[in-house]
Amino acid sequence: MTEQARSDTVGVQDDVVALLTRQHGDIRNLFDEVERATGAERQDAFRRLVRLLAVHETAEEEIVHPVARRSFDGGEQMVEDRLREEKQAKEKLGRLDEMGAEDPQFLPMLLQLRTEVMEHARSEERYEFAQLRRRTDPGQLATMANAVKAAEALAPTHPHPGVETAAKNVALGPMAAMIDRTRDTVRKAMGKDG
């Protein structure tokens, strides 16, 4: 690999926008895998999909959205729109998890979720990520990418979507624990105290 190619690769790996956009592709691929699989393989692929979605959305909530809120005009409303979409997706993921991959309603609901998640991803890329890249220092984008990578590396392998309040987290027990651990990892990587 040439010096320039190596430098370009490092730059992409250190840019939170490129990293999260890559995750959108990984999420799309995992939806494909869940749809094609059957039985235990479908359940396994679904668990991996939920894990990645949980890590991805928590990282956005903790890392990207706060910067977007304060960095550009309309950022507050843009973030509120994305949070509403993320909340709906988490609720649907919870229902899918409860019903299990063998339920006859699983695949139709999964396909609906896929459409919603991919529309959400396009909105993020087109609006929030584009603004973030234009208005954020490359060093901060690298710090943000490192926090996302830390969350991804340390997230448990048995995930469930989180919710927005502590009371609901207690009610959901282990489903919310993964979000909490991811959030703690992200905050530590960003130099915040919980």
Side-chain angles (χ1 to χ4, degrees):
M1 180 180 288
T2 68
E3 180 92 16
Q4 179 61 42
R6 191 175 305 111
S7 174
D8 291 345
T9 302
V10 169
V12 168
Q13 291 172 347
D14 289 340
D15 181 317
V16 72
V17 173
L19 179 60
L20 293 174
T21 301
R22 177 193 52 82
Q23 285 183 353
H24 286 165
D26 294 344
I27 288 165
R28 185 179 47 254
N29 292 340
L30 276 170
F31 269 113
D32 289 343
E33 190 176 333
V34 175
E35 290 171 32
R36 285 191 310 264
T38 58
E41 289 83 20
R42 177 175 280 170
Q43 188 64 36
D44 179 61
F46 178 68
R47 290 272 176 230
R48 288 184 282 121
L49 172 65
V50 173
R51 177 185 184 272
L52 180 54
L53 283 169
V55 169
H56 180 84
E57 295 305 334
T58 302
E60 288 176 343
E61 290 168 14
E62 292 292 316
I63 299 167
V64 175
H65 296 333
V67 173
R69 282 184 194 276
R70 66 180 181 267
S71 295
F72 42 91
D73 292 339
E76 186 72 36
Q77 186 59 52
M78 183 185 313
V79 169
E80 290 307 314
D81 292 344
R82 298 302 75 80
L83 288 173
R84 185 176 52 258
E85 294 163 358
E86 291 166 10
K87 182 178 185 289
Q88 292 168 346
K90 289 174 187 178
E91 290 169 356
K92 196 164 281 181
L93 278 169
R95 289 194 301 274
L96 284 164
D97 190 52
E98 287 173 10
M99 73 174 52
E102 295 303 314
D103 188 292
Q105 294 303 309
F106 180 87
L107 196 53
M109 186 182 286
L110 180 80
L111 295 174
Q112 182 183 26
L113 176 65
R114 178 192 181 125
T115 299
E116 293 165 3
V117 166
M118 297 323 301
E119 286 174 6
H120 169 81
R122 279 189 296 279
S123 292
E124 284 178 334
E125 291 173 14
R126 184 174 295 132
Y127 303 113
E128 191 171 15
F129 292 1
Q131 290 288 339
L132 189 67
R133 176 157 290 139
R134 277 196 291 273
R135 299 176 186 269
T136 307
D137 173 82
Q140 185 176 4
L141 292 175
T143 299
M144 295 163 73
N146 288 335
V148 172
K149 289 182 217 173
E152 193 174 24
L154 296 175
T157 58
H158 185 74
H160 294 282
V163 292
E164 290 71 34
T165 68
K168 288 181 183 175
N169 279 337
V170 170
L172 287 175
M175 290 183 69
M178 199 283 251
I179 294 294
D180 291 338
R181 286 191 294 270
T182 302
R183 187 170 285 124
D184 291 345
T185 300
V186 165
R187 289 177 177 174
K188 183 175 181 179
M190 293 297 292
K192 299 177 185 176
D193 287 336

